[in-house]
Amino acid sequence: MKISKDTYQKITIKLKINGEIVETDIHVSDLLLNVLRDKLGLTGAKPGCLNGDCGACTVIMNQKPMKSCLLLAIEAIREEITTIEGLLNSTIQKEFVNHFAFQCGYCTPGFVMVSHALLMNDPNPDKKTVIEWLSSNICRCTGYQEIEKALYSVIKGGNACGLKPKNTVKSNGAKKTDETGRLN
Amino acid sequence: MVMIGKSVARKDAWEKVTGQAKYTGDSQEGDMLYVEKVISPYGHALIKKIDLSRARQLAGVKAVITGGNLPLTGEEIRDRYPIAYKRVRYHGEVVALVVADTPKRARQAADTIHITYAPLPVINTPRQALDPKAPLIHEDLGQYKKISKVYPEQGTNIANRTKIRKGNMLKGWSESDVVVEESYSLRPSDHAAMETRCALASIRADGKVFITSSSQAPFMIKRLISEYFGIDIGDVIVTTPLVGGGYGGKASVQLELLAYIASRASGGRLVKVQNTREEDMLTSPCHIGLDATIKLGCSQKGKLKAVKILYLWDGGAYSDKAVSLSRAGAVDCTGPYQIENVSCDSLCMYTNHPYASPYRGYSHSEVLFAFERTMDSLANKLGMDPLELRRMNAILPGHTTPTQVLLNSSSVGNLPACIHRLKKLMEWEKGQRIDLGNFKVKAKGISCVWKTSTIDTNASSGVILIFNPDGSVNLVSGVIEIGTGSKTILAQIVSERLKINLEKVKVQMKVNTQSTPEHWKTVASRGTFMAGRAALQAADDAISQLKHLASCVLRAPVEDFEIGGERVFLRDDPSKGLSYKELAYGYTYPNGNAIGGQIIGRGHYVLRHLTPLNPETGAGKPGPEWTVGAQGVEVELDTREYTYRITKSISVIDAGKVMNPKMAEGQITGAMSMGLAFGGRETFYFDDLGRVMNPQLRTYRPLRYGENPEYVCEFIETPQKDSPYGLRGLGEHGLLGMPAALGNSLSLAAGVHLNELPLLPELIWRKRKGADEGDLL
């Protein structure tokens, strides 16, 4: 696949999202966030700043939380993407409900995804690690205590291990290719 | 009570944790057009020339719109064109709109518009605006159309003046042995809701206008679009889905006007206007700023005797909600104390800043920062415990407020009880300032708070309960779910009154002004009080209908029926009765005959006996009750670097009745978090051209996880006798005392008067350095 320098050129790409292969027409300059929302109808990831500051658009790419406003859609080709829509009935979601860990709900998909990704990577994180991961996102409604309680109740419950999102296949994340490599 | 006081799960829980919850910006339709803005790069300038030639030629561009031929708008004074005309008065003001078939094309076209400006002198503070030599921001102030209860002063930058004249100031000062006078300053800042504002509009061939908006006030949008553009009010239909945070910022009507104008210019097509984060901070209305001077006197024993107050509100370039904010600041111009002699002038000033919208607390956290800092200064001068000074002056039933409302045990909560609990929770007896060694000082600061609402005296709230065939009920209310969970509380109320399972109360989250009864605006911590009363009435109406139907079917007097277990039954023989299910759609006899019909309960509520303020004395009754509370903050200050850590934040609030403990705690702790961020770090930085230098979430920094202190939250319950189950409003109150308590703790820790916000280490360093050198920087 050849990419011209014209950012308005449309191309067809395949993405693997929530375990399904989807095909969509995009501009090469399109953000992953906008493709998810506008092309694929996956509006769980929210725009909050388009600047990487707030984390409301967080998705999981190859088991790592990524801000989808900082990714071009073409960077997600051949990667395993999980959005909040691919995460049904996870323990962390139940604990968010039990602990009232949301109010307006706008930042919630982002916080659920970053918490879930943390538990996938480290089922028993220490306090410093939790702060490091969760401070990537902003919640303006709660005082964060409820989110903290929701997360720690999963950690204490020891349910974190079985928490792989539905349909997520373990990726070979070690493979590093340059951007054109990913596209070819 | 089965349902009241229980931490039942929120009705919007699962849709929110699964990403299924839909907000305004999530809506996407095939024929949608997109609107991009061109905004002013200056705080104050004349528009000399606008070159649209390139924008109009680009593919996909449907319309390019500039100012002119648009009505003046504003809720109380009509002083603002929705799109600037000939002149811009703040950085971020909309100068042109482009409508195109994709967001990218609209942005590309907007970026080709070339505008020539001639900068004008900028007014950067309300004190500057008050200077008689200051340039006028609105030369035609006296000519603007306005409502009757606002008093703009032609030839000045004063959009409104509220006067409080209570008691006899001469007497008050003559009885004052100790007097302090201090000045305070805080700049405008932002709500920073995670969802940026968004509005959609379309206009049908028959003239019907459809708006969808992320708003706290869809019914106000309906009214204002009707008034501004001369459309029958019933032809304006506004929908609001879930809202991603409001905090007052979405109670102003702004983007909706732009969406309407853009749709009108595009043949009525569906258009979408969504703010970028930067536009949300610059262009849309912000959190108001304040300059204040307070002179407070008391007797030798600490009894407050007199206070003279000047509040200069930084209302920004247009008066919209700022006039009402300045009025609310006058209503509760003191802290929650009995003071017989009060003189206050609260002025809404025009400046070249983004204009103001409500902010959680509606002027109260700003007023309380100034007043509660003054209380600490007074305690300091008296050599008295600041908590004791507050306790002995605490407002009580039998006292009067600054607007001369005589309080009773229903209309005001129990402040002494709050102070008593705060004292225990803060371990006050162990000392207020503790040297921890190693250049660390721990200090405790407090603030007492109160607030009533200042909404329209005839603001209405309605609820409809529509039964389903299985006996469950749909709850329809105009309260917006902005995150506070008010609609879950309404469901608890309905469940309790109808004696049905909470699962059987189905809540309609979305509001549509054509099919939902009005709730004036989702503001002022009035949702559960007003809509709660309407819900009770609607439930009683439904019960009456169920009983009448049962009375007919079972041939017994209506008065003999009771309800329970989702049945209507005879009091003396509960086995004889009918289930809600059998009556929900009327009753059908075995032979097929039927009577009645679907049960539809109706309820509405208007707060009683409210009056506007007297223009000379301020006397008047703005709200039904004052929620009170006592709050504290503990900090650890590094005395070399002046950095600090907030270790604990405490609120004791008289909630009247805690309807859902976990949700109430969530409201209070969330509000504390917001108040600490506002007090500690959030502000707009303006340059000499009136430009906001930090309109991004990396330069404007809300609290993040890990920066939050430990939160402690307790409630006192003194019922408000008119409200559902005695509840009082509490959505805003956790925020109110935070800036003041933080200021008091840091002032004590650093040993200097910190009378500005935000309380950054740099401020402490400047004041400390000034104190050390005897020369304030």
Side-chain angles (χ1 to χ4, degrees):
Chain A
M1 194 187 298
K2 289 262 188 263
I3 302 298
S4 94
K5 282 185 180 170
D6 176 8
T7 55
Y8 285 87
Q9 187 199 335
K10 278 205 168 183
I11 57 168
T12 301
I13 60 165
K14 282 181 185 168
L15 294 172
K16 191 169 183 191
I17 296 172
N18 302 329
E20 284 174 28
I21 306 285
V22 292
E23 198 172 270
T24 181
D25 293 337
I26 64 156
H27 292 114
V28 291
S29 60
D30 280 346
L31 300 177
L32 176 61
L33 172 66
N34 292 341
V35 171
L36 290 174
R37 290 174 55 81
D38 304 345
K39 302 281 183 181
L40 306 175
L42 298 169
T43 57
K46 304 294 182 200
C49 63
L50 302 186
N51 208 24
D53 295 334
C54 78
C57 65
T58 304
V59 298
I60 298 175
M61 186 160 94
N62 303 334
Q63 314 231 6
K64 294 276 185 281
M66 299 294 276
K67 290 169 177 172
S68 61
C69 75
L70 294 183
L71 284 168
L72 294 174
I74 53 175
E75 291 180 276
I77 296 168
R78 296 189 188 160
E79 313 293 349
E80 296 281 343
I81 306 291
T82 307
T83 70
I84 185 83
E85 289 86 354
L87 206 72
L88 278 174
N89 291 314
S90 70
T91 317
I92 189 71
Q93 285 168 304
K94 285 177 197 153
E95 294 305 328
F96 264 65
V97 173
N98 290 339
H99 292 276
F100 293 70
F102 63 90
Q103 286 180 26
C104 81
Y106 197 81
C107 76
T108 310
F111 266 103
V112 168
M113 295 312 276
V114 75
S115 302
H116 190 78
L118 169 57
L119 293 168
M120 280 165 66
N121 282 272
D122 184 354
N124 198 15
D126 60 22
K127 209 174 151 190
K128 201 175 145 230
T129 309
V130 171
I131 290 175
E132 204 175 291
W133 283 60
L134 258 54
S135 62
S136 66
N137 291 29
I138 298 173
C139 170
R140 191 61 162 165
C141 293
T142 73
Y144 295 111
Q145 273 186 343
E146 303 91 327
I147 297 172
E148 180 180 57
K149 280 181 191 158
L151 179 61
Y152 276 99
S153 69
V154 180
I155 295 170
K156 280 181 195 141
N159 293 326
C161 296
L163 259 184
K164 245 182 260 168
K166 217 169 76 179
N167 302 327
T168 291
V169 182
K170 195 163 174 60
S171 77
N172 44 355
K175 187 189 72 178
K176 282 280 169 208
T177 49
D178 63 20
E179 261 124 62
T180 46
R182 287 184 191 184
L183 292 164
N184 285 332
Chain B
M1 286 186 287
V2 184
M3 270 304 139
I4 307 302
K6 294 270 185 325
S7 291
V8 301
R10 289 175 58 133
K11 287 282 186 181
D12 49 356
W14 278 99
E15 57 178 323
K16 284 184 173 174
V17 301
T18 52
Q20 290 168 349
K22 290 281 181 264
Y23 301 81
T24 302
D26 293 335
S27 134
Q28 188 88 18
E29 284 179 39
D31 61 344
M32 194 181 255
L33 299 174
Y34 298 84
V35 183
E36 288 287 331
K37 312 174 197 77
V38 180
I39 60 174
S40 165
Y42 294 108
H44 199 191
L46 294 174
I47 301 168
K48 303 300 275 188
K49 198 174 154 218
I50 304 182
D51 180 2
L52 306 171
S53 52
R54 287 174 65 200
R56 287 206 161 119
Q57 286 162 11
L58 289 173
V61 172
K62 301 289 173 194
V64 182
I65 311 158
T66 56
N69 296 320
L70 290 172
L72 280 162
T73 66
E75 275 199 30
E76 300 202 4
I77 304 170
R78 297 212 183 158
D79 58 6
R80 188 180 74 88
Y81 290 113
I83 301 173
Y85 181 53
K86 290 187 176 170
R87 180 171 166 187
V88 289
R89 294 180 172 89
Y90 73 96
H91 177 208
E93 184 164 3
V94 176
V95 184
L97 298 177
V98 176
V99 190
D101 56 0
T102 70
K104 271 186 186 164
R105 283 175 156 160
R107 187 69 258 159
Q108 194 186 21
D111 289 344
T112 67
I113 293 175
H114 187 74
I115 302 169
T116 314
Y117 295 95
L120 294 168
V122 165
I123 296 180
N124 247 333
T125 73
R127 283 196 202 273
Q128 277 173 16
L130 193 62
D131 187 333
K133 282 175 271 173
L136 294 179
I137 295 178
H138 291 270
E139 288 84 354
D140 299 333
L141 182 54
Q143 274 92 64
Y144 291 138
K145 206 172 151 189
K146 65 176 193 68
I147 64 161
S148 62
K149 303 293 175 202
V150 60
Y151 311 99
E153 299 178 12
Q154 169 67 31
T156 74
N157 288 314
I158 301 169
N160 188 41
R161 181 191 295 264
T162 307
K163 289 186 265 189
I164 300 293
R165 302 288 183 266
K166 176 187 165 190
N168 179 338
M169 294 309 291
L170 280 175
K171 180 168 169 282
W173 294 126
S174 73
E175 289 169 4
S176 296
D177 302 311
V178 182
V179 175
V180 291
E181 181 169 350
E182 302 258 355
S183 289
Y184 304 89
S185 181
L186 56 104
R187 286 183 292 260
S189 52
D190 197 56
H191 310 79
M194 286 299 101
E195 177 202 29
T196 60
R197 297 163 178 91
C198 182
L200 280 58
S202 62
I203 307 166
R204 290 238 186 104
D206 62 4
K208 284 201 180 69
V209 176
F210 290 85
I211 306 274
T212 304
S213 177
S214 56
S215 172
Q216 295 172 249
F219 296 94
M220 189 52 69
I221 297 169
K222 167 178 160 175
R223 191 191 301 180
L224 292 180
I225 287 197
S226 160
E227 285 177 15
Y228 296 155
F229 299 102
I231 302 160
D232 288 348
I233 193 159
D235 284 341
V236 183
I237 296 150
V238 185
T239 303
T240 295
L242 295 168
V243 172
Y247 325 109
K250 289 172 180 162
S252 300
V253 180
Q254 184 201 34
L255 286 198
E256 299 82 4
L257 308 179
L258 299 178
Y260 170 76
I261 291 163
S263 175
R264 194 174 63 175
S266 313
R269 293 258 312 257
L270 177 64
V271 303
K272 181 179 194 176
V273 189
Q274 176 137 33
N275 278 346
T276 61
R277 174 58 59 189
E278 289 78 2
E279 289 167 346
D280 212 52
M281 298 180 87
L282 297 173
T283 302
S284 285
C286 68
H287 170 198
I288 202 162
L290 174 68
D291 281 354
T293 301
I294 297 180
K295 185 180 169 189
L296 179 63
C298 70
S299 70
Q300 218 118 43
K301 287 183 175 163
K303 193 79 202 149
L304 297 178
K305 290 293 178 185
V307 64
K308 184 172 168 55
I309 298 171
L310 176 65
Y311 290 139
L312 298 171
W313 296 93
D314 190 343
Y318 300 100
S319 64
D320 199 45
K321 291 301 299 172
V323 280
S324 171
L325 283 156
S326 69
R327 196 179 297 122
V331 160
D332 293 329
C333 60
T334 67
Y337 309 110
Q338 161 70 350
I339 310 176
E340 276 172 27
N341 309 297
V342 181
S343 174
C344 169
D345 282 79
S346 185
L347 277 61
C348 180
M349 303 303 300
Y350 285 117
T351 66
N352 291 113
H353 288 166
Y355 67 102
S357 69
Y359 174 84
R360 200 172 196 173
Y362 213 65
S363 298
H364 285 64
S365 64
E366 302 81 357
V367 158
L368 285 166
F369 172 68
F371 199 88
E372 288 291 283
R373 284 285 303 119
T374 312
M375 285 293 281
D376 261 33
S377 292
L378 189 67
N380 195 26
K381 199 166 177 181
L382 273 166
M384 192 171 176
D385 178 346
L387 197 69
E388 176 57 19
L389 178 68
R390 286 169 170 90
R391 190 202 58 76
M392 67 178 285
N393 289 290
I395 196 91
L396 298 171
H399 290 162
T400 57
T401 73
T403 68
Q404 302 177 42
V405 176
L406 179 63
L407 297 168
N408 60 38
S409 62
S410 170
S411 58
V412 68
N414 188 341
L415 182 57
C418 296
I419 294 173
H420 179 73
R421 279 306 300 162
L422 182 73
K423 193 173 176 179
K424 286 259 157 54
L425 292 168
M426 291 193 81
E427 299 183 317
W428 196 253
E429 307 299 348
K430 289 189 178 170
Q432 226 196 311
R433 188 181 190 279
I434 299 154
D435 197 330
L436 302 174
N438 210 15
F439 305 99
K440 287 268 165 44
V441 172
K442 174 176 167 170
K444 303 169 189 175
I446 51 166
S447 170
C448 290
V449 305
W450 66 342
K451 184 184 184 292
T452 190
S453 52
T454 50
I455 62 176
D456 282 3
T457 56
N458 61 354
S460 172
S461 183
V463 165
I464 303 176
L465 298 174
I466 305 171
F467 275 69
N468 291 312
D470 65 352
S472 65
V473 61
N474 301 314
L475 167 59
V476 185
S477 152
V479 171
I480 307 298
E481 184 44 81
I482 52 175
T484 53
S486 305
K487 281 188 152 164
T488 302
I489 302 280
L490 295 182
Q492 286 178 264
I493 290 173
V494 168
S495 161
E496 180 77 29
R497 193 69 148 213
L498 288 178
K499 299 186 180 174
I500 67 176
N501 261 330
L502 189 65
E503 291 69 38
K504 289 210 167 168
V505 183
K506 316 286 179 186
V507 177
Q508 179 182 298
M509 291 292 167
K510 190 182 269 191
V511 167
N512 174 303
T513 61
Q514 195 172 34
S515 55
T516 313
E518 176 155 341
H519 178 76
W520 184 70
K521 295 180 187 179
T522 303
V523 296
S525 303
R526 280 287 82 99
T528 51
F529 190 143
M530 294 175 61
R533 277 290 299 261
L536 284 175
Q537 198 183 67
D540 288 345
D541 184 31
I543 292 166
S544 163
Q545 292 174 43
L546 291 164
K547 284 183 179 174
H548 274 90
L549 198 52
S551 146
C552 177
V553 176
L554 298 177
R555 285 164 286 183
V558 174
E559 298 77 24
D560 290 2
F561 286 93
E562 293 278 348
I563 58 161
E566 298 169 27
R567 289 173 74 244
V568 187
F569 54 82
L570 286 169
R571 189 176 297 112
D572 72 337
D573 183 4
S575 70
K576 291 202 173 61
L578 293 158
S579 68
Y580 287 0
K581 187 179 169 182
E582 288 170 285
L583 299 169
Y585 267 51
Y587 181 77
T588 305
Y589 289 94
N591 72 354
N593 292 172
I595 53 165
Q598 187 178 15
I599 305 289
I600 302 171
R602 307 155 307 155
H604 58 199
Y605 185 70
V606 172
L607 292 167
R608 68 173 156 81
H609 297 164
L610 302 187
T611 59
L613 306 184
N614 178 300
E616 294 310 316
T617 65
K621 189 180 179 194
E625 56 94 23
W626 276 257
T627 298
V628 296
Q631 298 185 294
V633 168
E634 286 182 16
V635 293
E636 277 178 27
L637 179 76
D638 183 313
T639 54
R640 288 175 304 180
E641 296 178 351
Y642 303 115
T643 53
Y644 63 90
R645 208 161 58 87
I646 304 170
T647 51
K648 203 186 245 186
S649 174
I650 302 170
S651 286
V652 185
I653 307 284
D654 191 338
K657 172 73 192 169
V658 177
M659 302 293 280
N660 181 317
K662 279 206 173 178
M663 269 168 45
E665 267 175 44
Q667 284 308 298
I668 299 299
T669 50
M672 283 198 271
S673 169
M674 202 166 186
L676 289 173
F678 159 40
R681 50 161 67 160
E682 291 184 16
T683 187
F684 282 156
Y685 292 99
F686 294 96
D687 72 0
D688 291 344
L689 295 170
R691 293 181 298 190
V692 179
M693 306 309 288
N694 57 330
Q696 292 189 323
L697 295 175
R698 58 183 55 186
T699 46
Y700 182 101
R701 295 257 287 106
L703 282 191
R704 284 174 188 268
Y705 176 70
E707 296 172 331
N708 55 302
E710 179 195 349
Y711 293 109
V712 179
C713 184
E714 265 200 22
F715 296 103
I716 305 288
E717 294 188 329
T718 310
Q720 206 291 350
K721 288 173 185 161
D722 291 332
S723 74
Y725 306 97
L727 69 82
R728 297 174 187 276
L730 56 74
E732 301 164 289
H733 301 76
L735 188 150
L736 303 181
M738 283 296 115
L742 183 62
N744 285 336
S745 64
L746 288 169
S747 295
L748 179 68
V752 284
H753 289 283
L754 299 170
N755 290 353
E756 292 161 44
L757 293 179
L759 296 151
L760 295 168
E762 184 186 334
L763 174 76
I764 306 172
W765 170 74
R766 282 180 190 281
K767 296 293 174 194
R768 198 53 250 182
K769 198 160 159 15
D772 289 345
E773 295 173 2
D775 172 28
L776 284 172
L777 283 176

